[in-house]
Amino acid sequence: MSRLDLSGLGVALVTPLNEDGSVDYVALSALVEYQIEGEVDFLVALGTTGESATLSANEHRRVIETVAERVNGRLPLIVGVGDNCTARLVERLRALDTHGVDGILSVVPYYNKPTKRGIIAHFEAASEASPLPIILYNIPGRTGINMTPEITLELADRCHNIVAVKEASEDVNQVRELVNGSPEGFVVLSGDDHLSIPFIQAGAKGVISVVGNAYPRRFGELIRLALSGDYGRATELSRSFDELYLQLFANGNPAGIKCLLRRMGLIASDVLRLPLVALSEPEAARLVDEYARLGADR
């Protein structure tokens, strides 16, 4: 299996919902087109930002079909397939319709807090079952456990189809250790918008972004500047997003980005699936004020 070429701006798509809580597939398709027109490098559906944990199996299938149909091979499409039950993850991977899909994003098992041997066994089983390249997803703040560079690099060496890691540990030293120890072709990606530049300086090849949902052109320019080594201009552009970073994530993801996308007219509703809830009016007002300052993407 060939390595998946991942670099630049990847966007972790939201899953738009109607006011009644059902998935708005029309808005999802339009949002995908907005990303492609904004020249993002790849897309990720059914990640954390896509509320994958609260979507049914049928909704997962339809989201993948909708996004894959709209993408139509124009850029790489990654889909989230993660579970804290290894047997269930294997079953889902084997049943996955891979038409139009280029790779898998699979999160470290959450809640169970497995040991090093458990994490390795989990992802080895996923590797054997997956028909596509796998991007590991390390996000200790949500899973309750940090997948250390030692574990990630052992998996990268053992499993030919584990090709990258989305690193959301917020630890630049961990990124540096991953980059320095990676086998040829293995890619490290930032999982945090606000840390994209220091992570790229440490050797990461890009980011899987939340902000990119709303600002694909502007944030994509920031990432390209950083990857080209123009850290001064990249940092200047990043500073324009500083307040937006705070507002978007102050009350959890994806409440902030859904509120912003609704105000931008890109989705019709900022409804989330419980137990997540939309921003309060004061919270939304602060975000709208920041959008008024930033303006539309350009």
Side-chain angles (χ1 to χ4, degrees), residues 48 81-86 89 105-116 118-120 122-123 134-148 151-152 155 165-168 174:
T48 304
V81 186
D83 212 302
N84 65 339
C85 171
T86 306
L89 174 60
L105 178 70
S106 197
V107 70
V108 171
Y110 41 89
Y111 185 75
N112 301 346
K113 299 186 75 172
T115 62
K116 171 187 173 181
I119 295 172
I120 289 173
H122 175 86
F123 282 121
I134 296 173
I135 303 169
L136 305 176
Y137 183 14
N138 184 39
I139 182 165
R142 287 182 180 267
T143 63
I145 188 167
N146 179 42
M147 183 170 63
T148 64
I151 298 172
T152 302
L155 285 165
V165 60
K166 177 184 177 183
E167 186 58 45
Q174 185 152 303

Side-chain angles (χ1 to χ4, degrees), residues 4-293:
L4 181 62
D5 183 16
L6 294 167
S7 181
L9 174 62
V11 171
L13 291 166
V14 305
T15 302
L17 302 177
N18 295 301
E19 290 292 343
D20 64 2
S22 61
V23 176
D24 186 346
Y25 296 102
V26 174
L28 176 60
S29 183
L31 184 62
V32 169
E33 193 61 35
Y34 176 73
Q35 302 304 314
I36 294 173
E37 290 174 357
E39 300 181 342
V40 305
D41 295 295
F42 61 96
L43 291 174
V44 179
L46 298 176
T48 304
T49 307
E51 298 176 77
S52 57
T54 55
L55 300 181
S56 69
N58 183 58
E59 287 169 330
H60 275 233
R61 286 191 294 271
R62 285 199 62 189
V63 166
I64 293 170
E65 289 171 0
T66 300
V67 177
E69 181 179 357
R70 176 60 73 167
V71 169
N72 195 27
R74 289 181 285 175
L75 43 67
L77 171 60
I78 312 301
V79 299
V81 186
D83 212 302
N84 65 339
C85 171
T86 306
R88 191 164 53 224
L89 174 60
V90 166
E91 181 180 354
R92 291 176 60 197
L93 287 168
R94 288 176 175 164
L96 182 69
D97 180 359
T98 61
H99 179 72
V101 179
D102 300 286
I104 302 299
L105 178 70
S106 197
V107 70
V108 171
Y110 41 89
Y111 185 75
N112 301 346
K113 299 186 75 172
T115 62
K116 171 187 173 181
R117 287 195 301 122
I119 295 172
I120 289 173
H122 175 86
F123 282 121
E124 283 184 325
S127 172
E128 291 176 6
S130 178
L132 296 171
I134 296 173
I135 303 169
L136 305 176
Y137 183 14
N138 184 39
I139 182 165
R142 287 182 180 267
T143 63
I145 188 167
N146 179 42
M147 183 170 63
T148 64
E150 179 188 9
I151 298 172
T152 302
L153 295 173
E154 186 167 336
L155 285 165
D157 284 329
R158 286 189 184 191
C159 304
H160 72 288
N161 60 346
I162 291 181
V163 301
V165 60
K166 177 184 177 183
E167 186 58 45
S169 64
E170 300 192 350
D171 187 344
V172 70
N173 290 322
Q174 185 152 303
V175 170
R176 192 173 291 111
E177 186 175 345
L178 284 166
V179 170
N180 291 339
S182 292
E184 184 178 357
F186 188 81
V187 173
V188 180
L189 298 165
S190 174
D192 296 290
D193 287 303
H194 70 289
L195 292 174
S196 296
I197 295 173
F199 276 25
I200 288 171
Q201 287 177 304
K205 297 300 183 185
V207 62
I208 296 179
S209 169
V210 175
V211 171
N213 277 278
Y215 288 97
R217 289 189 185 278
R218 206 179 302 182
F219 205 73
E221 180 184 359
L222 184 161
I223 298 302
R224 284 188 289 274
L225 286 168
L227 287 171
S228 71
D230 192 344
Y231 301 122
R233 290 173 64 199
T235 299
E236 182 179 353
L237 188 51
S238 183
R239 284 176 182 149
S240 71
F241 285 110
D242 280 350
E243 184 61 28
L244 184 65
Y245 296 146
L246 293 174
Q247 295 299 333
L248 282 182
F249 300 104
N251 289 279
N253 183 43
I257 190 62
K258 277 197 163 182
C259 175
L260 178 58
L261 291 172
R262 181 184 181 187
R263 270 52 179 192
M264 295 176 76
L266 294 170
I267 61 176
S269 162
D270 56 5
V271 168
L272 293 93
R273 289 273 173 91
L274 288 170
L276 300 181
V277 294
L279 298 185
S280 68
E281 283 304 315
E283 293 163 347
R286 288 193 290 271
L287 192 54
V288 170
D289 287 345
E290 184 57 19
Y291 169 54
R293 185 188 69 81

